[in-house]
């Protein structure tokens, strides 16, 4: 079946970071974008990324996986060098790499008294990584005269906040500012930049307490990675070419509800 022009990504190459988890937003996004005809490159910090790439290939998607960290200039530049060596020039970038909120193993969390080192690590992993990878890939998009960047933020920080989670909230709010600034800077080059802000999402990393919160949103359940991925996939299509600098909240109406059941 031939896809409508507004949805067709044939001939495009997408890079989705943070796509190692089989139940995560990154992998779901890679699958959704690949189903629209794009070649897909995925990254993760462990070798499980190769399993995800193989899963995509079994679906008929042209997929390649790279093990890469992105939280320093050195790491981001190393990935860019490997992409160049493989003649891969992504025109689509989904900045999904990062940690989830409080409760994620190893996630630095705390209030205003948290150690500076933990603050810096939280910001580096959740915000600076997106800036660094975008900086490495934006030249290729400019040269092509076409590009899509989608930053995966969160309702935490961008819309609301959880207790004792200042670094994560600040980083995810920063993703929104980065999105809007890039959207203004890159519009003339044919590049759109948007963000999605997921709420309670039922991935493999969701805690039991978070799943319980998901039952209290207006829709009455947590969202799925596929539902977030659907928003991301739409934002990178030709049909979304007049949408830039926006934040799409995917939270089942939680952020607009004045009362909880």
């Amino acid at each position: 079946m031939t896809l409508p022009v507004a949805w067709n990504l044939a001939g495009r190459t997408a890079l989705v970071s943070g796509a190692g988890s089989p139940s995560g937003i990154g992998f779901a996004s890679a699958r959704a974008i690949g189903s629209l005809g794009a070649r897909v490159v995925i990254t993760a910090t462990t070798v499980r990324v190769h399993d995800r790439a193989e899963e995509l290939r079994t679906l008929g998607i042209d997929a390649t996986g790279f093990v890469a960290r992105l939280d320093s200039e050195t790491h981001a530049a190393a990935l860019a060098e490997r992409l160049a060596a493989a003649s891969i020039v992504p025109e689509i970038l989904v900045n999904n790499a990062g940690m989830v909120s409080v409760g994620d193993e190893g996630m630095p969390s705390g209030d205003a008294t948290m150690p500076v080192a933990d603050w810096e690590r939280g910001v580096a992993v959740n915000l600076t990584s997106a800036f660094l990878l975008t900086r490495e890939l934006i030249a290729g998009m400019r040269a092509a005269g076409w590009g899509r960047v989608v930053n995966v933020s969160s309702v935490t920080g961008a819309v609301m906040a959880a207790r004792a989670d200042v670094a994560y909230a600040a980083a995810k709010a920063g993703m929104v500012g980065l999105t809007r600034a890039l959207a203004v800077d890159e519009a003339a080059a044919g590049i759109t930049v948007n963000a999605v802000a997921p709420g309670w999402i039922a991935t493999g990393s969701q805690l039991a307490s978070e799943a319980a919160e998901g039952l209290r949103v207006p829709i009455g359940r947590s969202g799925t990675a596929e539902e977030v991925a659907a928003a991301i996939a739409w934002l990178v299509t030709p049909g979304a070419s007049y949408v830039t600098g926006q934040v799409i909240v995917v939270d089942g109406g939680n952020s607009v509800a004045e009362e909880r059941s």
Side-chain angles (χ1 to χ4, degrees), residues 37-235:
R39 177 187 187 185
V40 177
V41 178
I42 57 176
T43 75
T45 58
T46 69
V47 294
R48 65 179 180 171
V49 72
H50 300 306
D51 295 331
R52 302 290 84 75
E54 178 59 27
E55 289 177 45
L56 293 173
R57 288 192 290 270
T58 64
L59 297 174
I61 296 169
D62 184 354
T64 307
F66 288 91
V67 177
R69 298 195 67 86
L70 302 169
D71 52 353
S72 73
E73 285 188 78
T74 301
H75 290 148
L79 174 61
E81 289 174 4
R82 294 169 67 192
L83 292 172
S87 300
I88 297 172
V89 184
E91 303 114 318
I92 298 167
L93 170 61
V94 179
N95 280 310
N96 177 66
M99 295 177 175
V100 296
S101 190
V102 172
D104 188 30
E105 185 177 355
M107 177 64 197
S109 60
D111 59 17
T113 64
M114 72 186 300
V116 172
D118 287 350
W119 163 273
E120 291 177 341
R121 180 167 177 258
V123 172
V125 171
N126 291 298
L127 174 59
T128 306
S129 60
F131 164 71
L132 291 173
L133 188 54
T134 303
R135 187 176 69 165
E136 293 291 348
L137 301 186
I138 202 73
M141 298 182 197
R142 289 171 176 169
W146 192 96
R148 298 284 188 269
V149 179
V150 179
N151 294 321
V152 180
S153 179
S154 171
V155 292
T156 301
V159 180
M160 54 180 70
R163 294 180 181 86
D165 211 8
V166 296
Y168 182 84
K172 289 301 188 179
M175 287 282 273
V176 174
L178 175 64
T179 296
R180 290 173 176 155
L182 288 171
V184 172
D185 286 346
E186 304 301 331
I191 301 167
T192 67
V193 187
N194 293 286
V196 295
W200 301 116
I201 306 298
T203 66
S205 62
Q206 188 181 52
L207 302 174
S209 59
E210 294 171 335
E213 290 289 344
L215 297 175
R216 302 176 66 192
V217 308
I219 285 183
R221 62 173 175 83
S222 293
T224 67
E226 288 74 19
E227 287 170 323
V228 181
I232 292 170
W234 173 67
L235 286 169

